[in-house]
Amino acid sequence: MKRGRDTAAALEYWLSSVKPCVKDMSKEELETIAFDLFQNLWNQGGKESASSTVKPYCDKVQAGKDGNSKIIGKWSLCMQGDDMRGSLTICEGINRAELSSPNVDVEELRLKSAECTKTLVYEGDADQWDNCEDSFNVNLTVEYDPVNDIIEGCVNVSPLHNDEYGPPSASGGDFNFVGLRGDDKAPSSVIRAKSSRLEG
């Protein structure tokens, strides 16, 4: 009974006092806390206790990295129907990407999410969106589909500063895409289904 009360008290304290602070901590602060907790586990229960506690998390991270490593390479982008327009290159190490499309080109997109997450997030900048020349922020999200060996994602473009008197494209925009590996031709039914869902 006491163990149950202790667990409930720990959860209550976590939700009320710790979790709100964790959300605002920097990566360095989280690493420091994780190391302190790991060291305490090691000191109290030895190597086996400490390693068995963190192993499931480490395995999950490694599995995510292994899966995302398959996204490396050049992808031909399909943005509507079966049309192939543009390309996305995920560079070795997945920390950098290059985007070329009719609406926007970005020479360097930098990975902002963790390497092991299902949805990878990249950010970069461009000097043109559609027919408007200006400074834009570019956000790219992309996921790998291991079943069909394709990628799907979204590009969101926003102006660095607002221009009330510019053309419509001055306010930025977005588009969804499906990507085929290199110049491969995936079954059209797969592309149509994916494109329809993303654009819906």
Side-chain angles (χ1 to χ4, degrees):
M1 181 67 92
K2 182 178 183 300
R3 182 182 180 85
R5 290 197 300 268
D6 289 345
T7 300
L11 177 60
E12 181 181 358
Y13 186 79
W14 165 263
L15 293 175
S16 63
S17 301
V18 181
K19 188 175 180 179
C21 297
V22 170
K23 291 181 179 179
D24 296 324
M25 289 181 182
S26 66
K27 179 181 178 181
E28 290 74 19
E29 289 170 330
L30 290 173
E31 287 179 351
T32 298
I33 291 177
F35 175 73
D36 288 344
L37 292 173
F38 180 77
Q39 193 170 45
N40 286 336
L41 286 170
W42 190 293
N43 292 338
Q44 294 176 14
K47 177 181 178 180
E48 184 176 349
S49 175
S51 60
S52 63
T53 300
V54 301
K55 187 178 186 302
Y57 302 98
C58 293
D59 289 347
K60 183 178 179 180
V61 168
Q62 189 59 52
K65 287 184 177 181
D66 292 343
N68 283 336
S69 67
K70 298 175 183 176
I71 204 172
I72 294 171
K74 185 175 181 178
W75 301 84
S76 297
L77 301 186
C78 172
M79 299 163 198
Q80 186 175 10
D82 294 327
D83 295 337
M84 288 299 179
R85 300 186 298 166
S87 65
L88 175 66
T89 301
I90 306 295
C91 301
E92 192 70 32
I94 77 172
N95 289 305
R96 193 173 67 84
E98 301 171 6
L99 172 69
S100 176
S101 75
N103 303 102
V104 64
D105 294 328
V106 188
E107 292 184 358
E108 183 175 15
L109 288 153
R110 297 166 295 278
L111 183 67
K112 294 300 180 180
S113 63
E115 296 179 17
C116 60
T117 58
K118 181 180 179 181
T119 302
L120 297 173
V121 180
Y122 292 84
E123 292 182 1
D125 51 73
D127 55 15
Q128 182 171 338
W129 162 252
D130 202 6
N131 60 354
C132 179
E133 293 186 2
D134 206 338
S135 298
F136 295 93
N137 294 318
V138 181
N139 179 277
L140 164 75
T141 58
V142 58
E143 291 185 11
Y144 174 66
D145 177 357
V147 176
N148 296 298
D149 190 30
I150 61 176
I151 60 173
E152 54 185 307
C154 177
V155 173
N156 183 279
V157 179
S158 58
L160 197 60
H161 53 78
N162 293 323
D163 185 356
E164 298 179 0
Y165 305 101
S169 54
S171 60
D174 57 56
F175 62 84
N176 300 319
F177 63 83
V178 174
L180 309 183
R181 190 178 296 279
D183 297 322
D184 290 348
K185 302 298 182 183
S188 59
S189 59
V190 172
I191 296 303
R192 282 196 294 270
K194 290 289 186 179
S195 297
S196 175
R197 184 173 69 80
L198 287 169
E199 293 169 3

